[in-house]
Amino acid sequence: MFLRPAFAAALALLPMTATAQVAKPAAIVADGIPAIPPALAAETQPYLQARKAVFLGWDAADRSMLIKTRFANTDQVHKVRGPGADRTQLSFEEEPVIMASASPGAGDVTVVQKDVGGGEFFQLYRLVDGRLHLLTDGKSRNWFGAWSPDGKLLGYSSTRRNGADADLYVIDPRDPKSDHLVATVKGGGWNIADFSADGGTALVVNRMSINRADVYELDLKTGRMRALNDLKREVSYVAPRYAPDGGIWVLSDIDSDFVRLGRLDPRTGRFAPVSKEPKWDVTDYAVAPDGSFIAYATNEVGISRVHVLDTKAGTTRDVTGLPAGVIPYAIGSAIEIAPWGTIGLSMSSARVAGDAFAVDPKTLAVTRWTASETGGLDPAKNVEPQLVEVKSFDGETVTGFLYRPDPAKFPGKRPLIVNIHGGPEGQTRPDFLGPDNYYLNELGIALFFPNVRGSTGFGKRFVNLDNGPYKREDSVKDVGAFLDALAKDATLDPARFAVTGLSYGGYMCYASATHYSARLRGANCYVAISNFVTFLENTQSYRRDLRRVEYGDERDPKQRAKLIEISPLTSVDKITVPLLIATGGNDPRVPASEAEQIVNAVRGKGGTVWHLLAGNEGHVFHKKENEDYYFWASVLFWKQTLLGEGRR
């Protein structure tokens, strides 16, 4: 086989075994998975080299940006001193850094949040001269909360007391001995969201489900908390922040199907909406240090739109110079306004791998600060998705994004992979596909990303349509409706459809294989729930109550019986397609046992399963060597099941 020079050079860098196959990473167990051919690894290399830059915040010390990006095996903290400037690496860890934040004001301290092996027992560290200095206990789960306005205090939550309840702590990161408990709570969804200007009080959120989050004001001296909203109503209040005038801004879905930005009166608990986009959720916002304006983002059919609100005049202007893409999730806020007024954020789209941008609040001019590499490939050639709308079994409208291969390069009907998002309170949005572009551009496989009922972004009525064990399989029926509609598409081959999914989407992957095996050629299920009862019993205690609200309570006999009935493990005899199952050995959310039990059950029925276990990963792989190996295994799997190549 002739290889182009770039591919040949990449091939020369790949680790090989004596039998000319790509050596698997040391932490991976590949059970039933064929050897990875060097030619495949070389051919896919450009698609695996794309990186992204995620905006983390401003550093007031030198007016630079903090971002996270990957130049080696994991995401690390970098500094960018100006638009187009070099990315200077600040942290050098083997494990990925999920966030970093410089202190407001002087910017003299940078705090980092990181775990080990994907176990999600996150710790907070002070970053000094490229090294991390532990601030928390090194054992429990700790979560970054907020800085005080002067940057002297940091609030966070920690489960160190009993492993389940997220108590509230305050620390001066310059002095680890200053760490102290300020409030003992019950539940795993608590955290400090903001500090008052004088540092005497803090705003606290208790998130119990996607439908319920309450806001409190905490007296930091006495530890007393006062609820600011009506606790009798099941309403969500998130991201509360003090305004410079002492008022409170917050996001809430009270009296609305969608999340709105507004003011919360701390005396009466009344919410006064201010944002004016009634059909879309407000997802992120930031208040200017002087309170004169707010930058906020709405989710409009999956695309992030940024707006600037003049708080005095009440007028809103739209930022039009950003890519039509998605602002990624961030701890705290994905948007931050610098002390000098510049708005910072990051954005990705089908043709932007992920980069950091700045917006001038006066002119709304957009400046791109980073230009992330895409492995030498031209991202402008990537396929843009088509929005698909379908009526499901009960008349409910469900939507998704369809990516079609180039018909000139791949004529005729093409195979299709249906890729179901996790959550379930998640949403597929028109983001950068990364390695998945290989399927479109080189193999001619179409990709479809559905938003079944229960997805966010379509209002709280829609997000609640799958709640509990008795409605759970309605979302699986939505997949059936999509299969029906896509089978009628003249460009797609219904004899070569397959399904994949991650986390809850992994459950949907298994469930689709039990309900629709006759219509599928394979299923690739990633960190997936196979039995709701064993999942709820074995997931980490700090998140168990949150999941019971969504899926059902396994302690209730009737709900337990229904949960077992709808679990894919109960119906493995109905799975007649080959499976590829990938899981993390340290996964705290969906333990590896969820994969092990269905692998054994399917094989016990004579079924075919490829099983990939990464012993140094948690919920989703974050180390590049593991991500790459799983991708190669997936390509082999799809080549066999959808393209008929290399079948044994």
Side-chain angles (χ1 to χ4, degrees):
M1 177 181 179
F2 176 74
L3 296 176
R4 283 178 278 166
F7 290 163
L11 177 59
L13 298 175
L14 292 170
M16 304 294 172
T17 67
T19 55
Q21 65 188 44
V22 178
K24 65 179 180 61
I28 280 185
V29 176
D31 178 13
I33 298 175
I36 306 299
L40 171 61
E43 181 69 21
T44 58
Q45 274 301 306
Y47 291 92
L48 297 172
Q49 295 307 317
R51 61 172 58 92
K52 60 184 177 181
V54 177
F55 173 77
L56 297 175
W58 296 101
D59 188 339
D62 56 6
R63 294 197 170 196
S64 64
M65 270 188 185
L66 291 182
I67 65 167
K68 67 176 179 179
T69 191
R70 175 194 56 77
F71 275 86
N73 199 35
T74 59
D75 284 346
Q76 297 298 317
V77 185
H78 292 68
K79 174 175 286 193
V80 184
R81 289 182 169 80
D86 291 341
R87 291 153 288 184
T88 303
Q89 191 164 341
L90 302 182
S91 67
F92 303 86
E93 300 295 306
E94 292 184 4
E95 300 290 344
V97 171
I98 69 163
M99 69 80 60
S101 180
S103 58
D108 61 318
V109 177
T110 297
V111 171
V112 163
Q113 182 170 316
K114 182 185 74 70
D115 70 350
V116 175
E120 298 189 6
F121 286 90
F122 295 104
Q123 304 301 319
L124 300 181
Y125 303 82
R126 182 178 176 185
L127 175 60
V128 181
D129 298 330
R131 296 186 177 184
L132 299 187
H133 300 265
L134 185 65
L135 295 174
T136 44
D137 67 345
K139 300 176 183 179
S140 59
R141 175 183 168 87
N142 304 273
W143 198 259
F144 183 93
W147 289 101
S148 61
D150 60 9
K152 293 181 179 179
L153 298 176
L154 173 67
Y156 70 98
S157 65
S158 177
T159 62
R160 72 185 60 167
R161 177 170 55 89
N162 59 12
D165 298 320
D167 296 333
L168 306 176
Y169 291 77
V170 169
I171 187 173
D172 178 353
R174 304 159 189 81
D175 177 15
K177 294 182 180 179
S178 68
D179 189 27
H180 61 287
L181 175 71
V182 292
T184 300
V185 298
K186 183 173 178 56
W190 294 81
N191 210 344
I192 292 175
D194 199 9
F195 287 85
S196 60
D198 62 5
T201 60
L203 293 174
V204 172
V205 172
N206 177 23
R207 180 177 180 269
M208 290 164 277
S209 72
I210 195 168
N211 301 308
R212 179 69 184 268
D214 297 319
V215 178
Y216 298 79
E217 191 166 53
L218 168 66
D219 186 311
L220 293 171
K221 290 184 179 180
T222 66
R224 294 175 182 171
M225 279 197 288
R226 178 175 66 92
L228 298 184
N229 60 281
D230 183 355
L231 300 183
K232 296 178 181 179
R233 296 190 64 180
E234 187 178 60
V235 176
S236 178
Y237 293 88
V238 296
R241 299 191 182 103
Y242 285 110
D245 62 5
I248 296 173
W249 291 97
V250 71
L251 301 180
S252 180
D253 63 2
I254 186 170
D255 300 324
S256 171
D257 197 29
F258 291 89
V259 175
R260 299 176 292 179
L261 169 68
R263 287 182 174 270
L264 181 66
D265 189 321
R267 293 168 297 136
T268 66
R270 179 179 175 272
F271 175 78
V274 175
S275 59
K276 300 174 182 178
E277 295 78 19
K279 292 178 61 178
W280 313 115
D281 285 335
V282 177
T283 57
D284 301 280
Y285 78 102
V287 183
D290 64 1
S292 62
F293 71 92
I294 290 177
Y296 68 94
T298 50
N299 173 358
E300 302 184 11
V301 196
I303 294 175
S304 295
R305 306 292 187 188
V306 179
H307 318 272
V308 176
L309 168 71
D310 184 316
T311 55
K312 184 176 181 180
T315 56
T316 301
R317 296 173 296 151
D318 299 335
V319 178
T320 59
L322 290 164
V326 181
I327 297 175
Y329 164 78
I331 297 174
S333 177
I335 302 172
E336 184 175 305
I337 301 173
W340 51 95
T342 304
I343 303 164
L345 52 85
S346 50
M347 184 79 76
S348 60
S349 69
R351 294 175 176 172
V352 177
D355 278 305
F357 295 83
V359 179
D360 184 311
K362 294 181 180 179
T363 66
L364 303 189
V366 174
T367 304
R368 185 170 180 168
W369 275 54
T370 63
S372 296
E373 298 84 356
T374 53
L377 300 171
D378 183 0
K381 295 181 179 179
N382 288 341
V383 177
E384 294 276 8
Q386 170 194 347
L387 181 66
V388 174
E389 294 186 348
V390 169
K391 292 289 186 182
S392 193
F393 69 98
D394 57 355
E396 185 71 36
T397 298
V398 287
T399 64
F401 290 101
L402 175 62
Y403 295 76
R404 301 177 188 272
D406 181 357
K409 184 176 180 180
F410 299 102
K413 294 189 173 186
R414 304 309 307 168
L416 172 76
I417 299 172
V418 178
N419 190 325
I420 309 168
H421 68 71
E425 308 103 332
Q427 182 187 4
T428 290
R429 303 174 69 181
D431 209 338
F432 188 70
L433 294 183
D436 283 356
N437 282 308
Y438 176 78
Y439 297 123
L440 290 159
N441 299 341
E442 307 298 338
L443 299 183
I445 299 175
L447 304 175
F448 180 67
F449 297 83
N451 282 311
V452 297
R453 68 191 64 205
S455 302
T456 53
F458 305 93
K460 62 184 178 183
R461 180 198 68 84
F462 189 83
V463 84
N464 290 326
L465 290 178
D466 67 342
N467 283 5
Y470 302 101
K471 297 180 181 180
R472 181 60 47 199
E473 288 192 326
D474 286 354
S475 58
V476 183
K477 294 177 184 177
D478 290 341
V479 174
F482 282 123
L483 293 176
D484 290 340
L486 294 168
K488 299 174 184 177
D489 189 302
T491 69
L492 302 176
D493 182 359
R496 293 187 292 168
F497 281 8
V499 65
T500 188
L502 178 155
S503 190
Y504 173 75
Y507 153 72
M508 293 286 287
C509 176
Y510 288 146
S512 296
T514 65
H515 286 264
Y516 309 118
S517 264
R519 305 170 64 180
L520 301 173
R521 295 290 289 273
N524 181 346
C525 309
Y526 186 20
V527 293
I529 300 168
S530 63
N531 182 308
F532 282 112
V533 170
T534 56
F535 158 72
L536 288 166
E537 290 176 340
N538 295 320
T539 195
Q540 283 291 329
S541 56
Y542 62 80
R543 64 190 312 275
R544 186 173 292 121
D545 287 342
L546 179 66
R547 294 298 83 194
R548 283 171 174 157
V549 172
E550 174 65 34
Y551 298 125
D553 192 333
E554 84 287 0
R555 298 167 299 182
D556 178 275
K558 290 184 178 180
Q559 292 191 52
R560 185 184 185 92
K562 186 63 177 179
L563 286 167
I564 291 175
E565 176 190 331
I566 66 174
S567 292
L569 188 64
T570 304
S571 301
V572 290
D573 57 317
K574 298 179 181 178
I575 300 177
T576 60
V577 295
L579 299 180
L580 169 56
I581 295 174
T583 191
N586 301 324
D587 193 339
R589 304 188 188 193
V590 182
S593 55
E594 288 297 300
E596 293 166 2
Q597 62 192 8
I598 199 165
V599 168
N600 293 334
V602 172
R603 286 177 175 170
K605 297 286 186 178
T608 299
V609 183
W610 298 7
H611 182 205
L612 189 152
L613 171 69
N616 62 346
E617 297 278 12
H619 196 65
V620 183
F621 301 169
H622 292 287
K623 296 180 173 67
K624 187 177 186 301
E625 61 180 3
N626 297 333
E627 290 179 305
D628 289 356
Y629 199 85
Y630 176 40
F631 177 73
W632 291 327
S634 297
V635 172
L636 284 183
F637 184 74
W638 296 130
K639 281 189 171 186
Q640 283 195 17
T641 56
L642 292 180
L643 302 181
E645 298 181 16
R647 289 189 175 178
R648 295 177 294 178

